Amino acid sequence: MIKAFTISALVCSLLQSAFACTTALVTKGASADGSVFVTHSNDGYTGDTSVVYVPASDHAEGEKRAVYPSACAREPYPTYNTDYTPRLNVKGRGPDYQFEGEKETLPLGYIPQVEHTYAYLDSNYGIINEHGLMLGECTDSSRRIGYIHPEKTEGIFYSSELGRVALERCKKAREAVVLMGKLIDEYGLWGTAETLLVADKEEGYVLEMAPNPSGKGGFWVAQKVPDGEFFIAANQFRIRGLNPENKDQIFNLAMLDELKNLGWAKYDKDGYLDWLRSIDSNEYSHPYACLRRVWRGLDIAAPSLKLPAWVEGFDTYAYPFSVKPDKKMTVDDLMKIHRDTYDNTEFDYSKGETGGLFAHPYSFGLYNKERVISVTSITYIWINQVNDKLPAPISWIALTSPAQSVFVPLPVAPITKRYSRVDRKHYDPTKAYWAATEVGTLTRGYYSALIPIVRQTAGDLEAKSKQKIEDSLNLSKDEFNKMLIYNADECFSVWKALPSKLVEHIDSGANLKYAKGHEPNYIKIKSYKNTNVEMEDLIAKNAINDKNVALIEDEQELIALNSDAAQGRQSKDKSTTTEDNKLNSKNTMADTKNSQTQLSTNKSEKTDADTQNAQAQSLIDNMNKSDNTKTDKSEDKSIPESKKDTDSQAL
């Protein structure tokens, strides 16, 4: 029985761990070394940061496979003992999903188990299995569907568990797409609209899905990425016209009629159902929350296309489904894309006041503003890699924002020591996540000063990792995986020590310099007199005008000039120290007159000081004239002619 169908406000989704992810796929023909790559950044401050190895397993005939809820879909589900961390506490998925003292996660339902399941790396979403089947993910928006709570529908699958079943049972991408489609049709979906990228060492697909408001089944479609091309998605559907004759598309034909019966169907200029517009997969919070990242990724891969940064709407045709890159792509190119902060574009936050004193490229807080690809909220990012040369699959993983982190190649093997059983609420110096967090937090505070060191360190470690992989192509699968584990420990040691080096570099501020163009405007003091107070007093009396401002500035300059004159006398004629002291005294008029007489006899010895005195005299005359125009003549306070020189020198 269907209880209800609810659409929550999309703005709430901004707080969730999956609602800001970016995912990409590079086909075999588009890569420099024949690799297929799948990437995924898990953006959000709530997600479990653990990367877990789930071992291969044999199962008894008649056994059932439990399907669990996932807090990363939107929120914790207390009814099922499901929280953000740990994401699962269950038996049958290896020791790193079992926690003493925690309530056991309860399933939403069951499906028949298979005889044997494959080993894979898991996180909030499945990553890669031992045979090189790879996944990527991003949560999408739909004004038709919104969010469906697991207790408000008959559907038992969210994309995270759906992907895990595929990793457990499949070796090939198309096989995995077909399996997941069947599971959606039979067991239904809950949660939100979703994208899963699915690839093996030969080909890759984009699988897009959404729950059915009826509570039964779901809507889904898959499209192959043409070989030789690059694809990217960012929280919005990318598939458009559905053509039953297109062999590169996979979907349930009955869905076309169902969308039409719901009144949702929209069609393109060729008469085909427009999938994106039919599901109304808009940008979830504001214009360009999704499309800007798509534009940036495509533009980095194929700048010759000169794709526009500004388009007519969320359903634009300005961006193709996929592009042929200008040059064959490498793992370094994908690292660059996921580290991108819109450098040197009109959207670069490091320029101007948004960059602060050290030109950081971020906007903090909710995603209700222009956001970059490498946001500070990233929990982790992976770049999966498979090809014919590698002894075993690789997942390059960077923890936290990759712009201030290092990509480390990990095997599909136990990685408990550094990457599993992590609690993001409690510091643990033995975990790679906390080492990355230390570096990232410190770097963001002094970005322009520290990012060169962080980039150099990351670049050196990544270059060494690539060289070790190249030198290990003749190893067995097990030996290759051991090499990767040893290399991961070495990378951890270097990254763990990096915060200390960064602090040493800062040296209590001795080596800190503000970013060029970001220097603050400090208060410049020219006088002991608080001219700011005088200015405020004039404003309060409504007496402020250009003459008053000039008067205050002239008085400051007068004081400065006379200070310079006094220093000139002291350096020019040390023998007159006693007389100079008398000049600075205001005890009697006679003393000051004698000082004036003494100074006039020594004119030739202090030319520079006299020149400055003359400038001061001119300023006094101007000030006197101003005073005469605004005070009663009967109370004339102008300085007598006989005293001007003496008083100006005595200041």
Side-chain angles (χ1 to χ4, degrees):
M1 178 71 68
I2 301 171
K3 295 181 181 179
F5 168 61
T6 60
I7 302 180
S8 298
L10 291 177
V11 69
C12 295
S13 302
L14 302 173
L15 297 173
Q16 308 311 316
S17 62
F19 222 104
C21 306
T22 308
T23 187
L25 190 154
V26 176
T27 58
K28 186 174 184 177
S31 69
D33 63 356
S35 292
V36 176
F37 297 100
V38 173
T39 78
H40 163 76
S41 68
N42 195 92
D43 303 358
Y45 293 111
T46 57
D48 189 336
T49 64
S50 297
V51 180
V52 176
Y53 171 74
V54 178
S57 183
D58 293 320
H59 305 278
E61 184 177 353
E63 188 176 330
K64 297 290 185 179
R65 198 274 192 193
V67 178
Y68 297 101
S70 302
C72 65
R74 173 61 68 90
E75 59 192 341
Y77 303 104
T79 302
Y80 304 97
N81 300 329
T82 302
D83 207 341
Y84 292 119
T85 302
R87 70 177 70 95
L88 286 172
N89 183 29
V90 299
K91 296 177 181 179
R93 298 199 190 180
D96 289 332
Y97 271 142
Q98 297 180 39
F99 298 88
E100 292 185 8
E102 296 283 345
K103 293 181 179 179
E104 186 173 344
T105 308
L106 302 178
L108 290 169
Y110 295 88
I111 62 173
Q113 184 59 282
V114 294
E115 183 179 351
H116 179 79
T117 52
Y118 305 130
Y120 61 99
L121 289 183
D122 193 28
S123 64
N124 292 318
Y125 301 87
I127 302 175
I128 186 172
N129 75 10
E130 61 181 303
H131 297 290
L133 180 67
M134 307 174 287
L135 300 181
E137 182 274 346
C138 70
T139 297
D140 303 317
S141 174
S142 168
R143 284 187 288 212
R144 302 284 195 196
I145 299 163
Y147 163 69
I148 299 180
H149 192 282
E151 295 179 20
K152 305 297 183 181
T153 180
E154 294 182 2
I156 66 172
F157 273 108
Y158 175 65
S159 64
S160 56
E161 277 287 87
L162 194 67
R164 290 171 186 141
V165 173
L167 292 176
E168 291 168 1
R169 303 182 178 194
C170 302
K171 296 180 180 180
K172 299 296 183 182
R174 191 176 183 92
E175 171 193 9
V177 167
V178 172
L179 171 64
M180 288 188 281
K182 289 181 178 179
L183 291 173
I184 291 171
D185 290 340
E186 184 171 355
Y187 295 97
L189 291 172
W190 62 275
T192 61
E194 288 281 318
T195 293
L196 287 179
L197 303 190
V198 190
D200 55 40
K201 66 179 181 179
E202 299 296 334
E203 61 182 0
Y205 288 82
V206 179
L207 172 62
E208 297 176 346
M209 67 194 78
N212 190 321
S214 71
K216 298 180 181 296
F219 306 118
W220 64 274
V221 59
Q223 183 167 322
K224 182 179 177 180
V225 180
D227 191 32
E229 298 197 0
F230 165 78
F231 172 90
I232 186 169
N235 306 122
Q236 185 184 24
F237 284 171
R238 299 289 321 286
I239 298 173
R240 302 304 296 264
L242 301 187
N243 180 0
E245 303 300 321
N246 187 345
K247 295 182 179 180
D248 287 337
Q249 290 184 336
I250 308 172
F251 56 88
N252 188 334
L253 290 176
M255 179 186 68
L256 302 180
D257 291 333
E258 189 167 5
L259 291 173
K260 183 177 181 180
N261 293 336
L262 284 169
W264 293 5
K266 302 289 183 181
Y267 298 90
D268 63 17
K269 60 182 178 58
D270 297 319
Y272 297 118
L273 184 135
D274 187 326
W275 166 250
L276 180 146
R277 292 177 60 227
S278 296
I279 299 297
D280 204 0
S281 182
N282 65 318
E283 300 190 72
Y284 62 86
S285 62
H286 60 84
Y288 300 102
C290 309
L291 285 175
R292 188 77 72 215
R293 284 173 283 155
V294 172
W295 162 76
R296 185 59 169 165
L298 296 177
D299 188 60
I300 291 175
S304 64
L305 295 179
K306 300 186 183 303
L307 297 173
W310 300 94
V311 295
E312 68 279 5
F314 79 92
D315 55 354
T316 180
Y317 280 96
Y319 305 138
F321 175 72
S322 57
V323 298
K324 181 179 180 180
D326 285 1
K327 63 180 183 64
K328 296 296 182 74
M329 301 182 73
T330 67
V331 68
D332 289 336
D333 294 318
L334 290 169
M335 291 177 185
K336 177 182 177 181
I337 288 174
H338 279 284
R339 281 175 167 146
D340 186 69
T341 54
Y342 301 156
D343 310 32
N344 300 315
T345 72
E346 60 186 295
F347 316 110
D348 188 345
Y349 274 127
S350 70
K351 311 298 183 185
E353 64 179 14
T354 53
L357 297 176
F358 297 96
H360 69 74
Y362 301 111
S363 62
F364 296 95
L366 297 178
Y367 303 129
N368 58 357
K369 58 186 79 70
E370 190 83 55
R371 58 150 290 178
V372 296
I373 295 177
S374 183
V375 289
T376 59
S377 62
I378 291 176
T379 305
Y380 50 75
I381 173 178
W382 68 68
I383 302 176
N384 292 328
Q385 179 181 13
V386 292
N387 61 39
D388 293 326
K389 299 177 182 178
L390 292 172
I394 291 174
S395 185
W396 295 82
I397 291 182
L399 298 168
T400 73
S401 178
Q404 301 102 57
S405 190
V406 58
F407 282 93
V408 178
L410 297 179
V412 182
I415 49 176
T416 306
K417 184 178 179 181
R418 303 297 182 203
Y419 289 88
S420 302
R421 308 185 76 84
V422 182
D423 184 350
R424 71 181 301 159
K425 295 181 180 179
H426 298 92
Y427 178 81
D428 184 345
T430 69
K431 300 302 182 182
Y433 169 78
W434 286 107
T437 298
E438 287 181 297
V439 173
T441 301
L442 187 57
T443 303
R444 286 193 286 273
Y446 303 98
Y447 197 83
S448 60
L450 299 183
I451 194 63
I453 301 173
V454 174
R455 285 174 177 166
Q456 183 65 52
T457 305
D460 290 345
L461 289 174
E462 288 157 4
K464 289 179 180 178
S465 294
K466 285 181 284 185
Q467 188 58 55
K468 288 181 180 179
I469 291 171
E470 187 66 27
D471 295 340
S472 303
L473 296 179
N474 293 326
L475 296 179
S476 68
K477 177 180 178 179
D478 289 342
E479 290 174 333
F480 183 76
N481 287 345
K482 288 179 181 178
M483 180 277 296
L484 292 176
I485 292 290
Y486 181 78
N487 179 69
D489 283 340
E490 286 187 328
C491 290
F492 170 79
S493 297
V494 173
W495 214 251
K496 179 64 180 173
L498 186 54
S500 298
K501 296 184 181 299
L502 296 177
V503 171
E504 289 174 355
H505 174 76
I506 292 174
D507 191 14
S508 295
N511 293 324
L512 281 183
K513 292 183 179 180
Y514 298 120
K516 186 177 181 181
H518 292 255
E519 300 86 352
N521 292 321
Y522 289 112
I523 299 172
K524 296 180 180 179
I525 305 299
K526 296 182 178 180
S527 167
Y528 281 103
K529 188 173 183 180
N530 190 341
T531 54
N532 290 328
V533 172
E534 185 172 351
M535 186 77 76
E536 291 171 3
D537 185 57
L538 288 169
I539 293 172
K541 294 178 179 179
N542 294 319
I544 190 67
N545 54 48
D546 292 342
K547 288 184 178 180
N548 292 35
V549 174
L551 201 61
I552 293 171
E553 292 176 347
D554 286 347
E555 188 172 348
Q556 289 179 323
E557 188 174 350
L558 172 64
I559 294 168
L561 285 169
N562 278 281
S563 176
D564 291 342
Q567 293 177 7
R569 287 196 302 276
Q570 187 177 18
S571 62
K572 290 285 185 178
D573 191 359
K574 293 183 180 179
S575 65
T576 61
T577 301
T578 302
E579 296 300 327
D580 286 342
N581 289 336
K582 292 180 181 179
L583 285 172
N584 291 324
S585 172
K586 294 183 179 180
N587 291 335
T588 65
M589 184 64 71
D591 287 340
T592 55
K593 286 183 177 180
N594 289 338
S595 298
Q596 184 179 6
T597 303
Q598 179 65 38
L599 286 170
S600 64
T601 61
N602 295 326
K603 240 178 182 181
S604 60
E605 298 179 9
K606 50 188 181 59
T607 304
D608 293 341
D610 283 348
T611 300
Q612 292 176 329
N613 285 340
Q615 295 173 345
Q617 181 63 57
S618 176
L619 292 171
I620 290 174
D621 290 341
N622 291 334
M623 292 169 65
N624 288 338
K625 289 178 182 179
S626 178
D627 285 341
N628 288 335
T629 63
K630 64 178 181 178
T631 61
D632 193 302
K633 290 184 178 181
S634 65
E635 296 181 7
D636 187 0
K637 297 181 181 180
S638 61
I639 303 172
E641 193 69 24
S642 61
K643 294 176 60 179
K644 288 181 180 176
D645 290 341
T646 303
D647 288 349
S648 66
Q649 293 179 49
L651 285 173

